[in-house]
């Protein structure tokens, strides 16, 4: 089924933007010891740079996703421009996750070794191998706890089906992205003076 294949590739590419932000961010502080000890260096730039790398890895996949979309004969419409705000939400979420996990890893070093299992769990719990519409209402209520569920669903609707995303899903994804970003940034900035002692 061409729609299913288009959905799988498009959502997988966006998922890896988030996953690469996490894997790049987890050791951003612990591996940047020299920069941490330099008091004039803005420490938050370490997890931010990990997200910039993840974005540059993601951008070429957009070209591949569009090529696959055209080859499979999937629809194109102006609604696909919704991909821009959804991408910005994904970027904010990736940034928040990177900042938060880089800080957590300073205190709990086992987080970096647990991360592959965490990202794999997110992969299976998110609408990538299946579409969100195929999920029962009972399970969907549980998916509210998954920060990227509605983000990937909105991305699939826009990029694969060329439809407008549901406003509920978009607001849910934005709320999660803002919550993770603000929590991560507050936690990081309130703890950054402690990093030099912990490393």
């Amino acid at each position: 089924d061409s729609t299913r294949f288009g959905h799988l590739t498009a959502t997988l590419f966006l998922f890896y933007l988030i996953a690469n932000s996490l894997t790049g961010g987890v050791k951003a502080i612990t591996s940047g010891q020299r920069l941490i000890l330099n008091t004039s260096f803005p420490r938050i730039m370490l997890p931010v740079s990990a997200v910039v790398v993840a974005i540059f890895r993601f951008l070429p996949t957009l070209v591949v996703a569009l090529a696959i979309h055209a080859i499979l004969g999937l629809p194109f419409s102006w609604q696909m421009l919704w991909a821009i705000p959804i991408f910005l939400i994904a970027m904010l979420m990736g940034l928040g996750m990177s900042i938060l996990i880089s800080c957590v890893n300073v205190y709990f070093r086992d987080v970096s070794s647990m991360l592959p299992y965490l990202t794999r769990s997110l992969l299976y719990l998110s609408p990538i191998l299946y579409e969100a519409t195929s999920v029962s209402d009972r399970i969907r209520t549980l998916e509210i706890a998954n920060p990227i569920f509605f983000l990937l669903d909105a991305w699939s609707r826009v990029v694969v089906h060329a439809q407008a995303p549901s406003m509920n899903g978009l607001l849910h994804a934005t709320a999660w992205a803002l919550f993770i970003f603000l929590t991560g940034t507050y936690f990081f900035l309130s703890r950054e003076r402690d990093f030099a002692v912990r490393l």
Side-chain angles (χ1 to χ4, degrees), residues 175-198:
W176 258 119
L178 282 169
F179 173 73
I180 293 169
F181 177 74
L182 294 172
T183 306
T185 306
Y186 171 75
F187 190 48
F188 191 100
L189 295 175
S190 63
R191 297 281 174 175
E192 65 175 337
R193 288 182 182 178
D194 197 24
F195 293 165
V197 181
R198 295 270 176 179

Side-chain angles (χ1 to χ4, degrees), residues 37 47 87 92 101 105 152 163 171 196:
L37 297 172
F87 169 65
L92 185 68
I101 204 161
N105 190 53
L152 291 169
Q163 297 170 358
L171 288 170

Side-chain angles (χ1 to χ4, degrees), residues 14-62:
L14 191 70
F15 171 79
Y16 276 111
L17 169 65
I18 303 287
N20 288 338
S21 298
L22 275 168
T23 50
V26 73
K27 288 186 177 177
I29 300 300
T30 51
S31 62
Q33 263 176 304
R34 285 184 185 172
L35 291 170
I36 292 298
L37 297 172
N38 180 352
T39 49
S40 62
F41 182 79
R43 297 174 179 99
I44 204 161
M45 289 310 294
L46 291 166
V48 168
S49 64
V51 179
V52 171
V53 170
I55 291 165
F56 277 109
R57 282 185 183 171
F58 170 74
L59 292 175
T61 66
L62 280 178

